[in-house]
Amino acid sequence: MKVLKFGGTSVANAENILRAEKIIKKESLNHKIVVVVSALQSVTDTLIKAAEAASDKDEDYLQFVKNLEEKHLQAVKELIPISEQSSWLSFVKKHFNDIEDICNGIFILGEFTGRIKDKITSYGEFLSSNIIVARLQSQGLDVSWMDSTEVIRTNSNFTHAKVNFDITEKNVNNYFSKNHQQITVVPGFIAKDKEDNATTLGRGGSDYTAAILASALNVEELQIWTDVSGMMTADPRLVSSAKVIPEISYQEAMELSHFGAKVLYPPTIQPVMVKNIDLWIKNTFQPEDQGTLVSQNLKVSENGGQIAVGISNMNQIALLTLEGSGMIGIPGISAKLFQCLSNEKINVILITQSSSEHSITIAIGEKDSHHAQSAINSAFEDDLKLQRIEPVKIETGLSIVALVGENMKSRSGVSAKMFGCLGNNGVNIRAIAQGSSEKNISIVISENDIRKAINVLHEEFFESEIKQVHLYLCGTGNVGSKLIQQIYEQNEYLKENLLINLRIAGLSNSKKMVFENKGLSSADFAELLNNGEDSTPELFAEEIISRNLRNSVFVDVTASSEVPEIYESLLKRSVNIVACNKIAAASDFSHYKKLKTLAKDHNCKFFFETNVGAGLPIIGTINDLIRSGDKINSIQAVLSGTLNFVFNNYDGSRPFSEVVAQAQKEGYTEPDPRLDLAGTDVARKILILAREAGYTLEFEAIENVGFLPEECMQGSVEDFYQALSRYEDHFKGLLDKAQKEGKILKYVADFENGKAKVGLQHIASDSDLYHLYGKDNIVMFKTLRYSEQPLVVKGAGAGAEVTASGVFADIVRSV
């Protein structure tokens, strides 16, 4: 014999009931089956709404009842042949007359007790089960209806009645010893107490009814038919990559269901676990799917060594904390606390206590928090007056996340892995609990972080193949557009070789922004931006923080002074930052240090390798030297690809202004070339290198020996070029002077003894700086270990392509 339970959407309407009928027919070919059914979809909730409206003197209750009557009459018309409909239509009308009478009584008395609630809600399953029996009988099946209220007996704890298993098991076996139909249909959820009052088994009680019958009959298996293909590794509404769990132990299923896995009502497990009955969770809409087997007979190794089997979550949680020095070493405090909550029928979901016994923290449903607070403060009134205990503290807006698995037992590093990946994504943990069985690690976090947290954990424990990284790019100019192109061209390689999938989840320019959690397509980002929302750096940051996606990286490929102002808010939310923009790292030293500290404190990365030398590994080399214990004593460098290009190409045969214009056209200069030619950009770069080398240096302390006439620094960029033309003799004079010495011009940055200087120098042919062509940069480090011959980093130091590749490399390092 088998027990099958259909509920929720499985019996939502006539169409779904016909799907269930096919499954019932198939299963009854080779087995006698007991079919437990729920009410039609939303019927129980609507019955409660009708009764509550009546108790509030709201005459809308009549419409609620009328709507439900129509729903059931329509089901009869769609399921039962016309020749047999009359009696069943009358059956429905008669019982809705009874429901209306009950609501009328509630309306008059203004009273809606638990006893009345059980009475009125019992009609849902009663009606649906009878209609389904009529349908099956009309198809010629050998079927009977069993009144579960006559066999399942409970106490009088209305709405959550406790089953008397001894009497119930005797009644069940007595019924089936006299009735031998191939199919027996039973209403779930409902029962009676010893005074024959209607009682119910709690929401989800139809599952429980099925388990009670399966246990009493000691059947071969229990099947729970629902609208998903089994228990999932996580809530699929939150995690798109959630997978069906093929097999799971009863203990694991109990933990998952207790902490929010809605597929299975927690009390369902105990009756069948005691009898060692296999439980299948199957999909009414995809009956061919394997589903999930819940069994006592699984071996831990059968999960392929998987550490965890699933993640579940509960929202709308409150933490209540009772603390005080008067609790230390005093027996009975915990007992008094939990007895107080038990008396108020408040369910405690999670408990944690400090080792000093100074405080006890419990998690309960948010709706019960103020009631619980009042009850606890009342119970400990004397201790509060004597200030031995402080008033109960409440925190709301929280969620519980539970990581569950038999294989977690005695496995070192599980907690570290769990807390580490959450910490790296800025998820703060408010409370932790782990049972001695080691099957479950439960944490309390902000409800705002729930989607991110579950996705992070799911990726860490169930998706070792590919890590999803969400990029937010600010700036779509030369470097930004090249970077986007490189990301799309290289992403397949990253997925195959580094197990990383880069998604451009947000894009912004100076005017517009656009977002897509699943990633913008490569073809239409420009058009999407044109049609995007109005943008400012602040709005872009607010949206990034609001979306709160895991593994987020903000990429600044602008030269804007406004964009770095949002770095702090992003770092505080553990968003990694990759910056091509030099403004932040070259700002006041205190601000530079603050950003570095924020990144460290919030477990995220702040990378800006391309601030100096485009894609050259200059900052990375400094970091490696410092980490290995070396000390940088001096730096000599040509750090401007623009200036190197200009002075390599300026030979007096054409005007200096023309060479500068060429450099700008080819993308080597800043939008305003004066930032390069005035040495400002080089000064920023040597400042950043000195800071990364461990020196405290401010921009104002850098000696900048300029070569541009003052007039060139006035007015607009157009004015600048006109001034360059007027001062051609000046630039020609600089060139001639160097050539007379047999030397060339290079714009050099020097750092030594804690001091920095930038300016034009005459470079002889025996210098390492002499043979530097095109837009190349060179940096020479003298250190404790490289004291005689410097460590040299040399290569292309400008250009959109190489700068974008440097940013790309930082992105990959950041995740």
Side-chain angles (χ1 to χ4, degrees):
M1 183 179 282
K2 294 183 179 181
V3 175
L4 284 66
K5 180 265 175 177
F6 294 90
T9 54
S10 297
V11 290
N13 49 43
E15 180 184 355
N16 293 357
I17 289 171
L18 293 177
R19 294 176 186 272
E21 179 189 313
K22 291 180 181 178
I23 297 166
I24 292 168
K25 285 179 178 179
K26 181 179 179 181
E27 291 291 338
S28 66
L29 291 175
N30 300 311
H31 300 88
K32 286 190 174 182
I33 62 172
V34 178
V35 178
V36 178
V37 298
S38 298
L40 302 185
Q41 193 172 39
S42 75
V43 167
T44 302
D45 286 337
T46 308
L47 285 168
I48 293 171
K49 285 180 183 177
E52 287 175 341
S55 68
D56 291 336
K57 306 295 185 182
D58 182 352
E59 294 186 359
D60 282 349
Y61 78 89
L62 293 169
Q63 189 59 50
F64 284 128
V65 174
K66 184 66 175 175
N67 291 343
L68 285 178
E69 182 178 349
E70 288 298 324
K71 185 184 187 84
H72 287 81
L73 291 174
Q74 186 63 31
V76 169
K77 291 173 185 176
E78 293 180 21
L79 291 170
I80 300 172
I82 294 176
S83 60
E84 301 173 27
Q85 282 183 13
S86 179
S87 61
W88 286 104
L89 292 172
S90 298
F91 174 86
V92 169
K93 285 181 175 293
K94 175 188 178 302
H95 287 94
F96 270 98
N97 287 338
D98 295 342
I99 292 170
E100 187 173 332
D101 287 343
I102 295 171
C103 288
N104 290 338
I106 295 171
F107 184 85
I108 293 168
L109 296 173
E111 185 176 327
F112 183 36
T113 64
R115 177 177 173 179
I116 298 173
K117 185 176 185 178
D118 277 0
K119 174 66 176 175
I120 196 166
T121 54
S122 68
Y123 279 94
E125 277 71 13
F126 174 82
L127 288 164
S128 65
S129 60
N130 273 283
I131 292 171
I132 289 170
V133 166
R135 167 66 192 182
L136 297 177
Q137 287 175 339
S138 73
Q139 299 302 299
L141 298 177
D142 181 22
V143 59
S144 65
W145 181 78
M146 185 186 87
D147 185 354
S148 55
T149 66
E150 294 300 325
V151 294
I152 299 178
R153 292 292 172 162
T154 69
N155 65 6
S156 300
N157 184 20
F158 297 106
T159 73
H160 288 86
K162 184 178 179 181
V163 176
N164 185 321
F165 280 94
D166 291 336
I167 295 174
T168 297
E169 186 165 330
K170 187 182 299 182
N171 290 344
V172 170
N173 283 288
N174 182 52
Y175 176 89
F176 282 96
S177 68
K178 299 174 183 176
N179 295 273
H180 305 286
Q181 284 80 8
Q182 194 71 6
I183 304 168
T184 303
V185 176
V186 184
F189 179 59
I190 58 178
K192 280 185 181 177
D193 65 10
K194 62 183 179 181
E195 279 82 34
D196 282 341
N197 294 308
T199 59
T200 60
L201 306 180
R203 300 307 296 266
S206 292
D207 285 3
Y208 194 27
T209 300
I212 292 165
L213 296 176
S215 176
L217 294 167
N218 202 17
V219 299
E220 178 183 336
E221 68 182 34
L222 167 62
Q223 299 176 4
I224 304 291
W225 289 87
T226 180
D227 57 357
V228 293
S229 296
M231 297 191 82
M232 309 287 284
T233 50
D235 187 338
R237 294 168 300 182
L238 299 175
V239 180
S240 59
S241 55
K243 310 165 188 174
V244 173
I245 304 169
E247 297 180 336
I248 188 171
S249 72
Y250 273 112
Q251 290 81 4
E252 290 169 330
M254 195 176 295
E255 294 282 359
L256 285 174
S257 60
H258 173 72
F259 284 101
K262 299 286 192 287
V263 177
L264 200 58
Y265 180 54
T268 304
I269 298 169
Q270 189 65 32
V272 286
M273 183 172 69
V274 170
K275 295 289 184 72
N276 200 16
I277 297 168
D278 285 350
L279 185 158
W280 281 94
I281 300 168
K282 306 276 281 181
N283 190 340
T284 308
F285 304 95
Q286 293 177 296
E288 68 284 353
D289 287 357
Q290 178 184 341
T292 297
L293 171 63
V294 185
S295 176
Q296 195 83 326
N297 305 314
L298 303 178
K299 296 178 181 177
V300 172
S301 60
E302 288 181 9
N303 278 330
Q306 183 87 35
I307 294 174
V309 295
I311 306 161
S312 60
N313 64 284
M314 298 178 72
N315 296 334
Q316 297 181 325
I317 297 297
L319 280 184
L320 271 65
T321 300
L322 184 69
E323 62 183 352
S325 58
M327 294 170 58
I328 300 173
I330 305 300
I333 295 288
S334 297
K336 187 176 181 180
L337 171 64
F338 296 121
Q339 185 60 55
C340 158
L341 294 170
S342 176
N343 293 341
E344 301 298 322
K345 299 182 179 179
I346 295 171
N347 181 42
V348 177
I349 304 166
L350 178 148
I351 307 163
T352 181
Q353 181 172 12
S354 67
S355 57
S356 65
E357 301 181 21
H358 179 262
S359 68
I360 301 173
T361 298
I362 60 171
I364 63 175
E366 198 169 80
K367 60 182 175 56
D368 294 326
S369 59
H370 292 291
H371 180 44
Q373 181 187 39
S374 176
I376 295 170
N377 286 339
S378 176
F380 289 91
E381 184 177 3
D382 292 341
D383 298 286
L384 288 169
K385 287 179 180 178
L386 295 171
Q387 297 184 338
R388 292 185 298 213
I389 292 178
E390 298 175 16
V392 175
K393 297 176 182 176
I394 299 180
E395 293 178 71
T396 57
L398 303 172
S399 294
I400 293 176
V401 176
L403 182 70
V404 174
E406 292 272 3
N407 279 350
M408 289 162 53
K409 187 182 296 183
S410 303
R411 183 78 68 92
S412 61
V414 177
S415 296
K417 188 176 182 181
M418 181 180 186
F419 302 146
C421 68
L422 291 172
N424 289 337
N425 277 275
V427 178
N428 184 44
I429 298 172
R430 282 292 303 110
I432 303 166
Q434 180 174 15
S436 58
S437 67
E438 299 185 73
K439 295 185 182 75
N440 176 351
I441 304 174
S442 300
I443 60 172
V444 180
I445 63 173
S446 168
E447 200 166 309
N448 294 330
D449 287 330
I450 191 68
R451 182 180 292 273
K452 179 198 277 188
I454 293 178
N455 275 278
V456 165
L457 290 172
H458 196 270
E459 189 172 78
E460 189 72 25
F461 286 92
F462 299 99
E463 302 173 50
S464 56
E465 304 87 24
I466 303 238
K467 183 177 186 178
Q468 303 293 341
V469 179
H470 298 92
L471 303 180
Y472 297 95
L473 270 61
C474 191
T476 56
N478 288 339
V479 176
S481 59
K482 292 292 184 184
L483 175 60
I484 292 169
Q485 181 183 342
Q486 290 176 12
I487 289 170
Y488 286 119
E489 288 175 352
Q490 195 66 5
N491 211 19
E492 286 303 316
Y493 173 87
L494 294 178
K495 282 193 272 190
E496 289 179 17
N497 294 276
L498 298 183
L499 305 179
I500 295 172
N501 181 35
L502 299 182
R503 292 174 170 171
I504 299 179
L507 196 61
S508 173
N509 57 26
S510 60
K511 297 179 180 178
K512 298 286 186 178
M513 62 183 181
V514 63
F515 293 89
E516 175 50 64
N517 288 359
K518 294 182 179 179
L520 299 170
S521 67
S522 59
D524 59 5
F525 79 87
E527 183 180 346
L528 284 172
L529 260 182
N530 289 335
N531 298 318
E533 305 172 46
D534 290 340
S535 177
T536 65
E538 292 75 18
L539 290 173
F540 196 53
E542 287 172 10
E543 187 64 27
I544 294 170
I545 292 168
S546 172
R547 287 174 181 262
N548 203 21
L549 297 179
R550 69 195 187 281
N551 307 324
S552 292
V553 183
F554 173 75
V555 185
D556 181 2
V557 283
T558 73
S560 166
S561 60
E562 295 178 0
V563 174
E565 293 177 4
I566 67 174
Y567 288 7
E568 283 191 38
S569 61
L570 293 172
L571 290 172
K572 287 176 181 177
R573 293 305 300 267
S574 298
V575 176
N576 299 301
I577 292 179
V578 171
C580 176
N581 190 331
K582 291 180 277 291
I583 300 292
S587 61
D588 292 343
F589 185 81
S590 59
H591 183 64
Y592 157 83
K593 287 298 292 183
K594 183 178 183 180
L595 293 177
K596 300 270 284 189
T597 302
L598 281 173
K600 182 180 178 182
D601 290 348
H602 293 274
N603 294 305
C604 56
K605 307 294 192 302
F606 175 34
F607 287 159
F608 42 90
E609 179 67 76
T610 51
N611 277 197
V612 183
L616 294 177
I618 298 172
I619 293 176
T621 298
I622 293 176
N623 295 156
D624 289 342
L625 290 171
I626 299 301
R627 279 193 288 263
S628 67
D630 205 348
K631 180 183 179 183
I632 294 172
N633 295 320
S634 69
I635 303 170
Q636 187 177 40
V638 172
L639 294 173
S640 172
T642 302
L643 285 166
N644 199 44
F645 177 89
V646 168
F647 286 108
N648 278 335
N649 284 276
Y650 180 55
D651 57 6
S653 63
R654 54 185 179 139
F656 187 76
S657 60
E658 188 177 313
V659 177
V660 174
Q662 180 187 350
Q664 183 174 22
K665 183 179 180 181
E666 294 187 20
Y668 301 143
T669 74
E670 297 289 342
D672 184 344
R674 284 172 291 193
L675 290 175
D676 298 291
L677 271 66
T680 304
D681 193 53
V682 175
R684 285 176 178 164
K685 290 176 179 178
I686 195 65
L687 173 70
I688 292 168
L689 295 185
R691 287 175 172 179
E692 288 296 290
Y695 294 90
T696 302
L697 189 66
E698 296 289 0
F699 182 79
E700 294 76 15
I702 298 173
E703 183 182 354
N704 187 344
V705 182
F707 68 90
L708 287 178
E710 183 63 29
E711 188 181 337
C712 295
M713 303 304 295
Q714 308 300 320
S716 66
V717 174
E718 185 178 341
D719 296 331
F720 160 71
Y721 276 109
Q722 291 174 358
L724 286 184
S725 299
R726 289 195 295 272
Y727 282 92
E728 177 60 28
D729 290 344
H730 167 74
F731 300 118
K732 186 69 167 55
L734 294 174
L735 178 64
D736 290 344
K737 186 176 181 181
Q739 288 178 339
K740 284 179 183 178
E741 298 175 6
K743 299 178 180 180
I744 62 174
L745 290 172
K746 294 290 181 186
Y747 200 90
V748 181
D750 288 296
F751 176 79
E752 192 171 9
N753 298 322
K755 296 181 179 180
K757 178 181 178 180
V758 298
L760 268 182
Q761 293 185 19
H762 294 181
I763 304 299
S765 59
D766 60 350
S767 169
D768 288 316
L769 304 181
Y770 188 90
H771 299 285
L772 196 64
Y773 307 108
K775 56 184 182 296
D776 283 2
N777 281 191
I778 186 171
V779 182
M780 298 184 294
F781 298 107
K782 287 283 189 77
T783 75
L784 291 177
R785 295 171 187 159
Y786 295 90
S787 56
E788 295 185 10
Q789 291 294 325
L791 173 62
V792 179
V793 180
K794 180 180 178 182
E801 196 81 38
V802 293
T803 304
S805 68
V807 174
F808 198 161
D810 267 357
I811 290 171
V812 174
R813 278 194 290 270
S814 73
V815 297

